């Protein structure tokens, strides 16, 4: 489980870095006069929400891995 937690932590760090860069880019590009259609803004919003969903899912998995391993080892310790 330690390897899974490390892999999830790396994926979470990479996604967080990408979200930070993407968010900063969108912030800079959308500052000032609004140019584009409502459809373009909806696409951008959907993209950001999907990134947030991915980040939260990875964070939840990263937080749950130690709980799963502790529960499994606790069950195995009780049976032996």
């Amino acid at each position: 489980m330690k390897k899974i937690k490390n892999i999830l932590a790396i994926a979470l760090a990479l996604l967080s870095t990408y979200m930070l860069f993407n968010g900063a880019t969108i912030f800079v590009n959308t500052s000032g006069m609004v140019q584009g259609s409502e459809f373009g803004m909806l696409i951008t919003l959907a993209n950001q929400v999907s990134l947030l969903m991915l980040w939260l899912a990875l964070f939840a998995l990263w937080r749950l891995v130690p709980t799963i391993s502790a529960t499994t080892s606790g069950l195995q310790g009780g049976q032996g």
Side-chain angles (χ1 to χ4, degrees):
M1 287 297 183
K2 184 87 170 162
K3 289 182 182 180
I4 294 173
K5 183 173 173 99
N6 287 340
I7 291 170
L8 289 172
I10 290 169
L12 183 62
L14 290 174
L15 186 60
S16 297
T17 304
Y18 175 71
M19 283 177 61
L20 182 67
F21 175 74
N22 197 17
T25 302
I26 290 172
F27 175 76
V28 169
N29 289 338
T30 57
S31 295
M33 297 293 294
V34 176
Q35 297 175 3
S37 65
E38 289 181 23
F39 185 68
M41 290 187 292
L42 287 174
I43 289 174
T44 301
L45 182 61
N47 183 14
Q48 292 303 304
V49 170
S50 67
L51 285 173
L52 181 63
M53 289 170 56
L54 284 172
W55 189 89
L56 288 172
L58 283 172
F59 184 73
L61 287 173
W62 181 69
R63 292 291 294 173
L64 287 175
V65 165
T67 305
I68 293 170
S69 65
T71 305
T72 306
S73 65
L75 290 175
Q76 291 173 351
Q79 293 174 355

